[in-house]
Amino acid sequence: MTRDPSPAPRLRLLLTLPPLLVPLLVGCSDPEPRRNLLVIAVGSLRADRLGNYGYERPTSPVLDRLCAESVVFEDAHAAAPWTLPSFASLLTSQFPTTHACWQFEDRLANAFTTLPEVLRRVGYRTGAVVSHVFLGRGHGLRQGFQDFDDELVRAPAEELHHLISSPEVSDRAIAFLRRAAVDASRPWCLLAHYGDPHAIYKTHPGITEHFGPKPPHRYDGEIAFADQHIGRLLAELEALGLTERTVIALVGGHGEEFGEHGGRSHGRTLFTEVERVPLAWRVPGTRPRRVSAVVSLVDFMPTTIELLGVRRPRLHMAGQSLRPLMRGEPTAARPTLLEARPNGLKRDLAAYVDEEWKLVEDVPRGGGRARYQLFDRRADPGELVDLAAQRPEIVDALCERLDEAIFGAEAAAGMFGFVREGRAAVRRE
């Protein structure tokens, strides 16, 4: 069969297509350049310690200015209360039950597809600068990053919690931007991970004294220190003329406890102080707004893919694109699942969160009955009053929804060739 060189067949095709499809074919020879992606990830960052989220102390002037130009999600939840499972969920859009990054020694399986893998397949240059060992190559989160810098976390383990990394993270991230800017025709994705607001809380001359010496105040000073160096990175993005061609995402990995429920640090509970995190996107041409709906970090991957104009891959993602919420469109309620299996403790924790209620389930590993806590999120945002005994009907209803969510996560694991522990073993009081 010979090819007709005349334009007539193409013209006849265009005349038969729906009007909305014609521009896609006519303009396909000169596509608009894809946007770049800069992800600013701060490892242990409570949402309520940023000025843009209502904190009264000046911890975050740079991030506050960024948020003022962004779509800010006020009620965003990490899928887990510590670094490895939280970032595994962020980068794969899978809950911990699915990816099974539970313990310190776990590693993300190659069967899962990460956000940078999706972007690399469509031509993005992908880079990361990380400052926590759980984001390093030993735990599988480098999948898809061709320019992966984990030099900062190759120190001996006993030194890592004393590492002051924000200056180096910004220096290395700026070096990536300068290299990427040389080839303006190729879009890029960069994850810059800042780990300084993380126990052990360090002192920073010229900053710490403005906040105080006690651990919660040193934590504030650590946020301010990281904020300064994030400012350097954003200034370089602007100096290179890349800001208006770049989607900038801000995300926290998890929060920190300072005795609100008797604990310190993170990773062993699912209270709001360890799982509510900042989440925002600055998108060129998108009007800033604040969104109060419940969302999860598993929504990060599908949302970012859509914001970049990349075709959604044919793979299961637990999250949903938040683009409709970013446009101000009404959507159905979006309850979410939180999970943890604390290192060193023989307990499995799970929580179900919607706009009104939070149910926390605590199951002894190896047998025993589940215990529950129920919090009214509107009347008791600090989760200090347990209503489980007074509202058993709410507990029962939310238990069913929690079961459905975990069953769904187990089924998703099967799509990737894994069999997870059955949910039927849970015994309730």
Side-chain angles (χ1 to χ4, degrees):
M1 179 178 178
T2 60
R3 180 177 179 272
D4 187 344
S6 73
R10 187 168 188 258
L11 178 60
R12 287 195 296 272
L13 172 64
L14 293 177
L15 291 175
T16 62
L17 287 172
L20 289 177
L21 293 183
V22 173
L24 297 179
L25 288 182
V26 173
C28 65
S29 61
D30 187 22
E32 182 180 349
R34 281 204 171 117
R35 289 168 169 161
N36 307 309
L37 173 65
L38 173 60
V39 181
I40 298 170
V42 186
S44 305
L45 185 58
R46 288 173 60 146
D48 63 2
R49 292 300 179 105
L50 298 181
N52 197 261
Y53 281 81
Y55 197 43
E56 69 279 1
R57 307 190 84 188
T59 56
S60 53
V62 170
L63 293 180
D64 292 346
R65 288 193 296 272
L66 176 64
C67 287
E69 300 175 353
S70 303
V71 179
V72 175
F73 288 85
E74 298 175 333
D75 199 6
H77 302 264
W82 63 286
T83 300
L84 176 58
S86 179
F87 276 92
S89 292
L90 177 88
L91 293 174
T92 65
S93 189
Q94 309 297 336
F95 287 111
T97 282
T98 304
H99 61 62
C101 289
W102 294 115
Q103 305 295 322
F104 291 158
E105 65 274 13
D106 287 335
R107 176 186 176 90
L108 181 69
N110 291 333
F112 296 101
T113 299
T114 64
L115 174 60
E117 284 181 294
V118 171
L119 298 183
R120 187 173 179 179
R121 289 169 186 172
V122 296
Y124 275 73
R125 177 176 184 166
T126 57
V129 180
V130 301
S131 58
H132 196 292
V133 66
F134 291 125
L135 274 78
R137 63 192 67 215
H139 293 277
L141 298 190
R142 72 159 297 171
Q143 291 178 207
F145 290 113
Q146 57 191 132
D147 189 341
F148 185 77
D149 186 344
D150 64 346
E151 288 292 328
L152 293 174
V153 295
R154 294 192 190 181
E158 63 271 14
E159 297 179 13
L160 290 178
H161 282 300
H162 297 276
L163 178 69
I164 296 175
S165 60
S166 291
E168 279 281 344
V169 170
S170 286
D171 288 347
R172 292 164 185 257
I174 286 169
F176 174 92
L177 293 184
R178 290 173 178 170
R179 293 193 300 269
V182 172
D183 182 5
S185 66
R186 186 180 181 190
W188 51 263
C189 154
L190 173 64
L191 168 66
H193 174 264
Y194 293 82
D196 278 319
H198 190 291
I200 302 169
Y201 313 116
K202 282 80 66 180
T203 58
H204 304 285
I207 295 178
T208 304
E209 55 264 35
H210 296 296
F211 294 95
K214 294 183 179 180
H217 303 146
R218 288 205 311 273
Y219 174 76
D220 288 347
E222 289 249 75
I223 295 173
F225 179 72
D227 186 79
Q228 284 189 2
H229 290 283
I230 292 169
R232 291 199 299 116
L233 177 59
L234 294 176
E236 184 67 19
L237 189 76
E238 181 69 28
L240 292 169
L242 297 172
T243 301
E244 294 311 311
R245 293 165 46 197
T246 302
V247 172
I248 305 173
L250 167 66
V251 61
H254 55 80
E256 292 284 271
E257 293 185 73
F258 293 108
E260 294 91 345
H261 292 88
R264 294 289 188 274
S265 191
H266 56 268
R268 297 192 167 202
T269 72
L270 291 177
F271 294 116
T272 184
E273 56 267 22
V274 294
E275 54 86 7
R276 181 170 169 254
V277 293
L279 179 63
W281 281 271
R282 183 193 184 277
V283 183
T286 297
R287 183 172 65 87
R289 69 169 63 242
R290 300 184 72 85
V291 179
S292 61
V294 174
V295 300
S296 170
L297 292 194
V298 298
D299 299 320
F300 184 84
M301 180 174 173
T303 303
T304 300
I305 287 171
E306 184 172 348
L307 291 175
L308 296 175
V310 173
R311 179 176 295 178
R312 184 179 174 118
R314 292 183 177 179
L315 57 92
H316 169 77
M317 288 188 273
Q320 303 177 57
S321 173
L322 303 180
R323 191 72 175 107
L325 289 171
M326 298 176 79
R327 292 193 291 256
E329 298 173 5
T331 63
R334 313 171 68 91
T336 193
L337 170 67
L338 320 174
E339 299 179 280
R341 295 182 181 178
N343 285 277
L345 299 183
K346 295 182 178 181
R347 298 158 44 212
D348 293 345
L349 302 178
Y352 184 86
V353 180
D354 63 24
E355 292 187 356
E356 185 174 4
W357 299 101
K358 179 174 182 178
L359 178 76
V360 180
E361 177 185 79
D362 185 334
V363 183
R365 206 170 301 154
R369 293 187 179 277
R371 295 177 56 252
Y372 293 93
Q373 293 174 291
L374 177 69
F375 302 104
D376 183 333
R377 300 188 66 228
R378 293 171 179 167
D380 178 26
E383 301 173 359
L384 300 175
V385 181
D386 178 11
L387 299 177
Q390 293 95 308
R391 302 298 303 271
E393 76 285 2
I394 300 295
V395 172
D396 289 343
L398 295 183
C399 278
E400 291 185 10
R401 296 175 192 173
L402 178 63
D403 282 347
E404 291 173 0
I406 297 181
F407 282 138
E410 290 173 352
M415 298 178 191
F416 297 96
F418 301 102
V419 177
R420 302 302 187 213
E421 181 178 320
R423 181 67 176 161
V426 174
R427 296 167 55 207
R428 298 197 164 106
E429 292 180 342

